[in-house]
Amino acid sequence: MNPKLTSICDICLQRGRKAEDFPNQTVEIFAKALLYSFVGKDGKDNNLNFLVATKQKRKEYESFIQDYDGNELAEQQLKRADFNTAVIASEDGTINFLPSQNLDFSENLKNMGLDVNFQLNEVDFIDRERVRAKYHYRCQYCGRRGHSVDHKDPVSLSHNNDFDNLILSCSECNRIKSNMPFKLFKHLNDQIPNINKKLVKYENTLSTLKEEFEQKRRELAAKAHLKGVVNDPELNAIRKQNKKLQDAIDSLQSDYGALRKLRENYFTTEWKLNQENKRNDII
């Protein structure tokens, strides 16, 4: 089956417009490059009459549509055809509301008469504390200190808030994992045990050094207050010690940040490759 690209979007197609009546040089060139069929009118598209008159309004609709395309919870609960119907009604004035980039996606949906439940991942305070106590405030992925209660199977996929589906993670692992399936994230994480151990050592060492630095800083402030002077041999010696300690912290922090970034790139790349491997075409 030969894939086709149309000169107009799915919203205009849903309106009943015919792709054959409209030129679109960009899509036509793209289709030729991919050896796809192009459904549209031949010719230049310099003098287009936009359905939405102003550029600013078109930007508002474009941003709203992109929000829908990038939100799995919305896509699962709201059919594309129903979403398009609401956009069409807004464009035609049947719905007296224009999506705004200044409003949250949920507010725009509500004002468009669309219902999406964004609270599927609600876990009450007691259950969160139970999870934290169960895992002793340690991230179950990397081993660092953690307070983020994470869904093993992403709530956008499972809608499962049961205690067995909850695990503790640090905010960094929670963010990196995002909607990645638990089995895949765990498999990738199991490939880098030494990296995770290094992260724990970095965190512990930095915590110790920062605590020591703060203690010396307070000691310096107290002695300066008691002496009533700023320039003093004893105080200057403490300042030099603090400067060396701060340099060590900065150097270690830089190495720690580089390793964290490397680890994040590893997960991001593997996740993208996993998704790409499942696609049947390049569109």
Side-chain angles (χ1 to χ4, degrees), residues 6 10-11 35 39 46 52 84 106 120 165 170 176 201 213-214 251:
T6 60
D10 60 326
I11 295 177
L35 301 180
V39 182
N46 295 331
V52 178
N84 289 349
S106 59
L120 293 176
N165 192 44
C170 62
I176 294 174
K201 288 182 179 179
F213 177 82
E214 285 300 314
S251 177

Short mmCIF file of all heavy atoms in Angstrom, two decimals, residues 6 10-11 35 39 46 52 84 106 120 165 170 176 201 213-214 251:
data_model
loop_
_atom_site.label_atom_id
_atom_site.label_comp_id
_atom_site.label_asym_id
_atom_site.label_seq_id
_atom_site.Cartn_x
_atom_site.Cartn_y
_atom_site.Cartn_z
N THR A 6 -1.39 14.47 2.02
CA THR A 6 -2.40 15.37 1.45
C THR A 6 -1.99 16.82 1.61
O THR A 6 -1.22 17.19 2.50
CB THR A 6 -3.77 15.16 2.13
OG1 THR A 6 -3.64 15.43 3.54
CG2 THR A 6 -4.25 13.73 1.94
N ASP A 10 -5.94 17.05 8.55
CA ASP A 10 -7.08 16.20 8.83
C ASP A 10 -8.31 17.00 9.28
O ASP A 10 -9.45 16.56 9.09
CB ASP A 10 -6.72 15.15 9.89
CG ASP A 10 -6.30 15.77 11.21
OD1 ASP A 10 -5.69 16.85 11.18
OD2 ASP A 10 -6.56 15.17 12.26
N ILE A 11 -8.09 18.18 9.84
CA ILE A 11 -9.24 19.01 10.25
C ILE A 11 -10.00 19.50 9.03
O ILE A 11 -11.23 19.44 8.98
CB ILE A 11 -8.76 20.19 11.12
CG1 ILE A 11 -8.17 19.67 12.43
CG2 ILE A 11 -9.91 21.16 11.40
CD1 ILE A 11 -7.61 20.75 13.33
N LEU A 35 9.16 9.29 -1.84
CA LEU A 35 8.53 8.39 -2.82
C LEU A 35 7.10 8.04 -2.40
O LEU A 35 6.64 6.92 -2.59
CB LEU A 35 9.38 7.10 -2.98
CG LEU A 35 10.83 7.31 -3.44
CD1 LEU A 35 11.54 5.97 -3.56
CD2 LEU A 35 10.87 8.06 -4.77
N VAL A 39 -1.49 13.95 -2.73
CA VAL A 39 -2.87 14.24 -3.11
C VAL A 39 -3.09 15.74 -2.93
O VAL A 39 -3.19 16.25 -1.81
CB VAL A 39 -3.87 13.45 -2.24
CG1 VAL A 39 -5.29 13.76 -2.69
CG2 VAL A 39 -3.58 11.97 -2.30
N ASN A 46 1.19 30.52 -3.37
CA ASN A 46 1.56 31.84 -2.85
C ASN A 46 0.35 32.65 -2.38
O ASN A 46 0.46 33.43 -1.43
CB ASN A 46 2.31 32.64 -3.93
CG ASN A 46 3.64 31.99 -4.30
OD1 ASN A 46 4.25 31.32 -3.46
ND2 ASN A 46 4.07 32.16 -5.53
N VAL A 52 -8.62 30.64 8.98
CA VAL A 52 -8.44 31.50 10.15
C VAL A 52 -7.64 32.71 9.69
O VAL A 52 -6.49 32.60 9.29
CB VAL A 52 -7.69 30.75 11.27
CG1 VAL A 52 -7.46 31.65 12.47
CG2 VAL A 52 -8.47 29.50 11.69
N ASN A 84 -11.16 17.35 16.70
CA ASN A 84 -11.25 18.15 15.48
C ASN A 84 -12.59 18.86 15.37
O ASN A 84 -12.67 20.00 14.92
CB ASN A 84 -11.04 17.26 14.25
CG ASN A 84 -9.60 16.79 14.11
OD1 ASN A 84 -8.72 17.28 14.80
ND2 ASN A 84 -9.38 15.84 13.22
N SER A 106 -5.53 22.11 29.88
CA SER A 106 -6.77 21.62 30.49
C SER A 106 -7.84 22.69 30.46
O SER A 106 -9.03 22.40 30.24
CB SER A 106 -6.51 21.17 31.93
OG SER A 106 -5.99 22.23 32.71
N LEU A 120 -5.57 11.26 36.87
CA LEU A 120 -5.53 9.80 36.96
C LEU A 120 -4.37 9.30 37.82
O LEU A 120 -4.38 8.17 38.28
CB LEU A 120 -5.41 9.20 35.55
CG LEU A 120 -6.63 9.40 34.65
CD1 LEU A 120 -6.35 8.86 33.26
CD2 LEU A 120 -7.86 8.74 35.23
N ASN A 165 1.73 -0.92 42.41
CA ASN A 165 2.24 -0.26 41.21
C ASN A 165 3.08 0.98 41.55
O ASN A 165 3.53 1.69 40.66
CB ASN A 165 1.08 0.15 40.28
CG ASN A 165 1.57 0.58 38.90
OD1 ASN A 165 2.43 -0.06 38.31
ND2 ASN A 165 1.02 1.68 38.40
N CYS A 170 14.09 8.98 42.89
CA CYS A 170 14.53 10.37 43.03
C CYS A 170 13.83 11.17 41.93
O CYS A 170 13.29 10.59 40.97
CB CYS A 170 16.05 10.48 42.90
SG CYS A 170 16.71 9.98 41.30
N ILE A 176 13.29 11.21 34.08
CA ILE A 176 13.87 10.49 32.94
C ILE A 176 12.96 9.35 32.50
O ILE A 176 12.74 9.13 31.31
CB ILE A 176 15.27 9.94 33.30
CG1 ILE A 176 16.25 11.09 33.54
CG2 ILE A 176 15.79 9.02 32.20
CD1 ILE A 176 17.61 10.64 34.04
N LYS A 201 27.87 7.62 45.30
CA LYS A 201 29.11 8.09 45.93
C LYS A 201 29.26 9.60 45.75
O LYS A 201 29.67 10.32 46.68
CB LYS A 201 30.31 7.36 45.33
CG LYS A 201 30.42 5.90 45.75
CD LYS A 201 31.66 5.25 45.16
CE LYS A 201 31.77 3.79 45.61
NZ LYS A 201 32.97 3.13 45.02
N PHE A 213 31.53 22.53 54.66
CA PHE A 213 31.71 23.92 54.22
C PHE A 213 30.79 24.85 55.00
O PHE A 213 31.21 25.94 55.43
CB PHE A 213 31.44 24.03 52.72
CG PHE A 213 31.52 25.43 52.19
CD1 PHE A 213 32.76 25.99 51.88
CD2 PHE A 213 30.39 26.21 52.01
CE1 PHE A 213 32.86 27.29 51.40
CE2 PHE A 213 30.47 27.50 51.54
CZ PHE A 213 31.71 28.05 51.23
N GLU A 214 29.52 24.46 55.16
CA GLU A 214 28.58 25.29 55.89
C GLU A 214 28.99 25.44 57.34
O GLU A 214 28.83 26.51 57.95
CB GLU A 214 27.17 24.68 55.79
CG GLU A 214 26.50 24.90 54.45
CD GLU A 214 26.34 26.37 54.11
OE1 GLU A 214 25.91 27.14 55.00
OE2 GLU A 214 26.67 26.75 52.98
N SER A 251 34.45 21.35 41.61
CA SER A 251 35.02 20.37 40.69
C SER A 251 34.23 19.06 40.71
O SER A 251 33.91 18.49 39.66
CB SER A 251 36.48 20.11 41.06
OG SER A 251 37.04 19.11 40.23
#
